[in-house]
């Protein structure tokens, strides 16, 4: 049995439940996004608390249960969280369950979408420009100087089948440059919760979020980027196989 199967409910959802979850996801995405934009103009902390609460509410109404392990080992941030990427539902899980203000680094193209782009910009998410990595690093640095943490998916895209993809170097170069600890995060079972290719479909079930111990980057140089990348990938791979 694959490792993820142990954390996913065996019961198959009904067509009605799948259709209901698709409606709930769309409704909450657009309504919560609009409210968050309004709240952000009044109080940024309030807007973040609302966004994180709504991410957890989305899990509840869609019948998704996520167990979290390892939060007690985090300590004080800021951090760069480096999760594997099994599905779009990883974003809701990480937003709702990671502590503090956690801004996501996203491809620049996502900011061009009318509604999603407005939410991303308002909430201070970071546009990654692969043609100008220095500018991207400067945007990331502003977040950590404010005491916030970052979420960067080292795979760069979702895995089609839950298998771990090769890791890119960007997250590790950023962690070394900014001098903040990098935290391996393992998303287990979310492939089935929101399968790739099934547009906005959230299936009820169970998954797991495992927060591994932070890895300090103080004293590391650019030459350490590959070693840091390989260490983080090996830890995530080991947890996925357990």
């Amino acid at each position: 049995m694959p490792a993820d199967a142990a954390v996913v409910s065996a019961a198959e959802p009904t067509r009605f439940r799948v259709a209901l979850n698709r409606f709930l996801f769309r409704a909450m995405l657009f309504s919560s996004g609009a409210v968050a934009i309004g709240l952000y103009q009044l109080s940024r902390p309030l807007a973040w608390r609302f966004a994180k609460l709504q991410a957890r509410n989305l899990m509840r109404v869609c019948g998704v249960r996520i167990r979290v392990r390892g939060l007690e080992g985090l300590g004080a941030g800021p951090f760069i969280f480096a999760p594997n990427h099994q599905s779009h539902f990883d974003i809701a899980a990480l937003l709702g369950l990671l502590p503090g203000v956690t801004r996501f680094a996203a491809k620049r193209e996502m900011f061009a979408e009318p509604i999603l782009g407005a939410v991303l910009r308002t909430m201070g998410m970071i546009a990654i420009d692969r043609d100008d990595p220095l500018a991207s690093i400067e945007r990331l640095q502003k977040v950590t100087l404010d005491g916030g943490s970052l979420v960067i998916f080292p795979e760069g895209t979702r895995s089609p089948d839950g298998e771990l993809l090769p890791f890119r170097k960007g997250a590790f170069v950023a962690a070394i440059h900014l001098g903040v600890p990098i935290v391996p995060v393992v998303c287990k079972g979310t492939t089935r919760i929101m399968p790739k290719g099934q547009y906005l479909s959230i299936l009820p079930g169970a998954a797991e979020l495992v927060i591994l111990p932070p890895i300090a980057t103080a004293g590391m140089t650019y030459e350490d980027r590959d070693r840091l990348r390989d260490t983080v990938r090996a830890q995530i791979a080991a947890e996925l196989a357990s």
Side-chain angles (χ1 to χ4, degrees):
M1 178 182 294
D4 284 350
V7 294
V8 177
S9 171
E12 290 298 325
T14 64
R15 290 184 179 179
F16 172 77
R17 181 69 202 207
V18 172
L20 176 63
N21 279 4
R22 187 178 292 120
F23 169 78
L24 290 171
F25 177 64
R26 289 177 177 176
M28 292 188 70
L29 177 64
F30 294 120
S31 62
S32 297
V35 172
I37 289 174
L39 287 176
Y40 204 79
Q41 312 309 314
L42 301 174
S43 168
R44 292 184 180 183
L46 180 60
W48 272 103
R49 288 197 296 271
F50 173 78
K52 293 172 77 67
L53 174 63
Q54 286 300 89
R56 295 191 296 271
N57 285 339
L58 175 66
M59 300 175 209
R60 295 188 187 101
V61 299
C62 290
V64 176
R65 304 175 305 282
I66 297 186
R67 183 176 69 160
V68 184
R69 291 193 285 119
L71 281 176
E72 67 282 353
L74 269 184
F79 303 105
I80 288 183
F81 293 102
N84 63 310
H85 201 4
Q86 292 194 337
S87 80
H88 277 319
F89 202 81
D90 299 337
I91 298 172
L94 294 163
L95 175 62
L97 299 173
L98 288 178
V101 173
T102 49
R103 291 186 173 91
F104 288 73
K107 291 183 290 187
R108 183 179 57 181
E109 293 78 8
M110 295 182 67
F111 288 75
E113 298 184 20
I115 297 176
L116 178 60
V119 174
L120 292 173
R121 286 189 295 273
T122 300
M123 299 299 288
M125 303 306 180
I126 310 300
I128 297 298
D129 187 348
R130 291 174 183 166
D131 296 326
D132 191 354
L134 182 59
S136 300
I137 289 285
E138 290 175 351
R139 296 188 194 105
L140 297 174
Q141 188 168 29
K142 290 179 181 178
V143 173
T144 58
L145 288 174
D146 290 339
S149 292
L150 295 158
V151 178
I152 304 177
F153 293 102
E155 291 166 288
T157 188
R158 288 168 293 146
S159 169
D161 55 8
E163 294 294 323
L164 202 58
L165 300 176
F167 277 16
R168 298 175 180 178
K169 300 177 184 179
F172 311 100
V173 172
I176 291 170
H177 179 81
L178 300 175
V180 299
I182 194 160
V183 181
V185 180
V186 189
C187 300
K188 303 175 74 173
T190 55
T191 298
R192 184 186 177 279
I193 298 296
M194 200 170 185
K196 189 171 185 177
Q198 295 189 27
Y199 184 63
L200 298 184
S201 292
I202 297 178
L203 308 182
E208 191 173 32
L209 203 63
V210 184
I211 317 298
L212 299 177
I215 301 172
T217 62
M220 290 188 182
T221 69
Y222 184 74
E223 302 304 319
D224 296 307
R225 67 196 186 282
D226 289 348
R227 178 174 59 84
L228 181 59
R229 176 198 61 192
D230 295 344
T231 296
V232 170
R233 191 180 188 281
Q235 290 185 7
I236 292 176
E239 179 60 38
L240 284 171
S242 65

